[in-house]
Amino acid sequence: MEFWVGLVILGLFHGLNPAMGWLLAVVRGFLEGRLEAVVRAIVPIGLGHLVGVSLSLVPLLYLGLHLPHREALGLAGVGLVLLALYLWCRKVHPRVRLRAGAGELFLWSALLALGHGAGAMLLPLCLSGPPLPFGGMEAVFIHTLATLLAMTGLALLAFRLGAEVVPRLWPNYDRIWAIGLLATGISALVQAWPP
């Protein structure tokens, strides 16, 4: 039960990150002046997140299942700590066109899920959880569903609040994301540490 709750919590956490795409959906809604545009933009963003997480988690999980448990957790922990440090120190962000179409939103979301370690962050949880009969895909689907719920809720709320209010309410999520990656990496390293 803890495993599935953990997947949902990480999905909600990922969904809060504006870099995962909900902010692009809000911009699309502002540009078109319609709430429906926000919802339509969420679909390719969610599918992109699903693909990006799958492309990173499933191969890592496969590798993790073929290494000794502690070794796999240790490697996952080191990788997450390094990614957290990189994201903390990074000064430049990739740019996206504000009038991005569905294909561009899909691609943006998939690349961001890969680049921000969304799938890698799930690896320690999956390695410590129950055996997954579908090679981790069930974890990816549960996680993505929770991410979509958070993204959709925030996008609709932000659209209702208006363009002037949103930037003033939102913290520096890049730093929060890096701290989350760091905490997950340290947790994996602690689990991998010899008794």
Side-chain angles (χ1 to χ4, degrees):
M1 184 62 159
E2 289 175 17
F3 170 72
W4 300 107
V5 171
L7 285 175
V8 170
I9 289 170
L10 282 174
L12 293 172
F13 180 62
H14 288 178
L16 294 176
N17 189 345
M20 292 298 157
W22 67 261
L23 198 51
L24 294 174
V26 174
V27 169
R28 186 111 170 243
F30 288 154
L31 290 173
E32 292 186 25
R34 295 181 309 157
L35 185 66
E36 296 82 31
V38 176
V39 176
R40 275 196 334 270
I42 289 288
V43 173
I45 291 168
L47 290 173
H49 188 80
L50 178 72
V51 168
V53 171
S54 299
L55 288 175
S56 59
L57 176 64
V58 173
L60 290 173
L61 189 56
Y62 181 79
L63 179 65
L65 293 175
H66 290 82
L67 290 174
H69 186 69
R70 288 187 188 280
E71 224 175 275
L73 280 173
L75 286 173
V78 168
L80 286 167
V81 167
L82 291 174
L83 182 59
L85 293 173
Y86 167 74
L87 291 175
W88 185 273
C89 296
R90 182 181 63 181
K91 303 287 185 226
V92 178
H93 292 281
R95 305 264 183 224
V96 67
R97 291 182 329 112
L98 291 180
R99 291 196 179 268
E104 292 167 304
L105 291 173
F106 170 84
L107 185 59
W108 170 260
S109 181
L111 291 175
L112 257 290
L114 278 166
H116 274 192
M121 196 176 198
L122 296 176
L123 183 63
L125 185 62
C126 289
L127 289 175
S128 301
L132 299 172
F134 298 106
M137 287 310 296
E138 56 270 67
V140 172
F141 283 118
I142 295 295
H143 165 78
T144 300
L145 181 61
T147 300
L148 274 173
L149 289 173
M151 283 185 355
T152 303
L154 278 171
L156 295 175
L157 177 64
F159 182 78
R160 290 289 184 208
L161 290 174
E164 308 81 34
V165 178
V166 174
R168 285 184 264 148
L169 294 177
W170 207 254
N172 182 343
Y173 204 86
D174 283 345
R175 297 293 169 118
I176 295 169
W177 185 256
I179 291 169
L181 287 169
L182 184 64
T184 306
I186 290 171
S187 171
L189 288 171
V190 167
Q191 291 178 53
W193 199 261

